[in-house]
Amino acid sequence: EVQLVGSGGGLVKPGGSLRLSCEASGFTFSSYGMSWLRQAPGKGLEWVSSISSSSNYRYYGDSVKGRVTISRDNVWNSLYLQMNSLRAEDTAVYYCARGDCSGGNCRLDFWGQGTLVTVSS
Amino acid sequence: SYVLTQPRSLSVAPGRTAIITCGGNKIGSTSVHWYQQKPGQAPVLVIYNDRDRPSGIPERVSGSKSGNTATLTISRVEAGDEADYYCQVWDTSSDHSYVFGTGTKVTVL
């Protein structure tokens, strides 16, 4: 059974940093691209960042570019998101998700349960 | 990047059919995927590549596409179908990003 367990969220002051983690199990982690997405309270889904299976490619959304870094460890089957210079508008539930790009078009076929990040003084 | 437009909300009686649309000017040239998100839960993929169902998704959930509009249809609606639904496309033109629609809240009367 595919499982993605996110952690690392919490309350942080504006300008602070946080590192989110996502532990994967039930599939060959090193074969899949992975992504982080977020959902602000009462709002829709927003893509944050993606990383290819071997970390060769990393992509970032405009709203976080320059402030976050995505990484992964294929030995420990884990995905990470280092978030710096946090702002109030970064307050959201952050989800990790597995990408399925078979057929050349990507979707997110499994999602973690989400971890809440609150940026407030 | 893409803008995907969905109706904000939809109300449907049990046993009837819910039809959710997703419009965008490049939908006709790419695949559309759909997610269901129940309150307090993570999204679940319910349709991929316009019309394919992942294992475990019932046949009464279906997808289609015509021109620049994709449609998610839920037949014989049940109370458990009450959720937010999002369409999604993959944008390779810039940052290989996942672009989501604005979301539709389906209420079962």
Side-chain angles (χ1 to χ4, degrees):
Chain A
E1 177 193 7
V2 172
Q3 283 199 317
L4 298 169
V5 180
S7 62
L11 175 63
V12 60
K13 290 182 168 53
S17 298
L18 212 55
R19 189 192 195 211
L20 305 184
S21 300
C22 174
E23 186 173 333
S25 61
F27 66 101
T28 304
F29 182 70
S30 59
S31 296
Y32 289 86
M34 298 293 294
S35 295
W36 287 98
L37 303 101
R38 68 184 183 183
Q39 187 170 36
K43 302 297 185 183
L45 299 170
E46 180 188 11
W47 169 74
V48 174
S49 181
S50 296
I51 187 168
S52 62
S53 58
S54 55
S55 303
N56 289 345
Y57 302 98
R58 308 178 197 219
Y59 304 101
Y60 300 96
D62 289 340
S63 60
V64 301
K65 202 171 292 184
R67 300 189 298 120
V68 309
T69 302
I70 191 171
S71 62
R72 64 188 295 161
D73 187 327
N74 286 347
V75 173
W76 291 99
N77 292 340
S78 292
L79 175 72
Y80 306 102
L81 187 71
Q82 176 66 44
M83 308 173 65
N84 301 323
S85 303
L86 284 162
R87 308 166 179 166
E89 53 265 36
D90 295 318
T91 294
V93 174
Y94 284 73
Y95 296 100
C96 58
R98 187 180 85 167
D100 183 343
C101 299
S102 54
N105 197 291
C106 297
R107 63 270 187 185
L108 300 158
D109 61 352
F110 288 95
W111 297 58
Q113 86 285 5
T115 185
L116 176 62
V117 172
T118 303
V119 184
S120 175
S121 54
Chain B
S1 63
Y2 292 171
V3 175
L4 299 177
T5 302
Q6 300 180 233
R8 181 180 294 271
S9 62
L10 173 66
S11 297
V12 59
R16 304 301 292 265
T17 299
I19 298 175
I20 305 166
T21 58
C22 173
N25 60 8
K26 296 184 181 180
I27 278 183
S29 59
T30 189
S31 292
V32 179
H33 318 293
W34 291 90
Y35 303 85
Q36 175 195 63
Q37 185 180 32
K38 296 182 179 180
Q41 298 184 19
V44 173
L45 180 69
V46 294
I47 291 289
Y48 65 98
N49 291 348
D50 301 335
R51 60 180 62 247
D52 294 330
R53 277 185 304 275
S55 60
I57 303 301
E59 289 186 7
R60 60 188 187 83
V61 178
S62 63
S64 62
K65 190 171 70 177
S66 177
N68 284 326
T69 299
T71 300
L72 178 71
T73 301
I74 308 172
S75 304
R76 301 181 299 282
V77 163
E78 304 171 353
D81 297 324
E82 186 161 290
D84 294 325
Y85 292 84
Y86 296 90
C87 57
Q88 175 252 310
V89 300
W90 191 54
D91 182 5
T92 60
S93 62
S94 55
D95 290 331
H96 292 75
S97 61
Y98 292 87
V99 179
F100 292 91
T102 49
T104 299
K105 179 171 180 55
V106 171
T107 300
V108 180
L109 299 172

